Amino acid sequence: MDTTTLNALSEPNRLQIVELLREGPLTVGEISERLQIRQPQVSKHLRVLSNAGIVRVHADANRRIYQLRPEPFIQLNAWLESYRRIWEERFDSLDDYLKVMQEKQEK
C-alpha cells in the first residue's frame, strides 16, 4: 500500500473533495462553492490529490475538470481486505466465546 494515498486523504478538506468527486467530475469553482473554501485553497488540495494519483484533470476551454481515478481506491481496498479477514476471524472468535459464556449463564 502506497502511503502517499493515505497521506493525501488524511487531510479533512481533501477527504471532503474526494467525497464530492464520488458524485462525478467537478471544476475547481464548483468544489470551492460547495465546500465554502476559497478557490486557491481548493487548487492546492487538488494538486496534492493529483500528485498522489487520486484525481485526474482535463481541460475544457478555460475550465479544469477534476475526477477521481479508480486505481488508488482499488489498491486501498485490497490493502484493507487483508485486515478485514483478521477482524472477521477475531469477531468470529468473540462470537464463539460469547455463546459459550451465555450457555454457562443459562445453566
Side-chain angles (χ1 to χ4, degrees), residues 78-96:
W79 179 72
L80 288 171
E81 186 61 35
S82 65
Y83 289 96
R84 280 188 200 106
R85 284 191 291 267
I86 293 169
W87 297 331
E88 286 173 4
E89 289 172 9
R90 290 185 180 174
F91 284 134
D92 287 345
S93 294
L94 177 61
D95 189 46
D96 293 343

Side-chain angles (χ1 to χ4, degrees), residues 19-38:
E19 288 298 316
L20 280 179
L21 291 174
R22 286 178 56 185
E23 299 170 14
L26 295 169
T27 64
V28 176
E30 291 167 331
I31 295 168
S32 175
E33 183 179 306
R34 289 174 72 178
L35 293 182
Q36 298 296 302
I37 301 172
R38 292 187 357 247

Side-chain angles (χ1 to χ4, degrees), residues 4-106:
T4 306
T5 300
L6 294 176
N7 287 336
L9 295 174
S10 68
E11 203 283 330
N13 288 320
R14 289 194 289 266
L15 191 55
Q16 284 184 308
I17 290 169
V18 167
E19 288 298 316
L20 280 179
L21 291 174
R22 286 178 56 185
E23 299 170 14
L26 295 169
T27 64
V28 176
E30 291 167 331
I31 295 168
S32 175
E33 183 179 306
R34 289 174 72 178
L35 293 182
Q36 298 296 302
I37 301 172
R38 292 187 357 247
Q39 281 191 11
Q41 291 175 307
V42 170
S43 294
K44 192 176 185 181
H45 289 305
L46 286 166
R47 187 170 29 259
V48 172
L49 292 170
S50 181
N51 289 341
I54 296 171
V55 298
R56 77 179 94 219
V57 60
H58 72 274
D60 180 25
N62 63 344
R63 300 178 339 153
R64 296 177 61 77
I65 301 171
Y66 288 84
Q67 67 184 59
L68 293 178
R69 295 181 66 243
E71 298 85 1
F73 298 100
I74 292 168
Q75 292 171 355
L76 182 58
N77 185 56
W79 179 72
L80 288 171
E81 186 61 35
S82 65
Y83 289 96
R84 280 188 200 106
R85 284 191 291 267
I86 293 169
W87 297 331
E88 286 173 4
E89 289 172 9
R90 290 185 180 174
F91 284 134
D92 287 345
S93 294
L94 177 61
D95 189 46
D96 293 343
Y97 174 76
L98 291 174
K99 285 178 183 175
V100 168
M101 295 303 293
Q102 186 178 14
E103 288 172 4
K104 284 182 179 180
Q105 284 184 344
E106 290 174 356

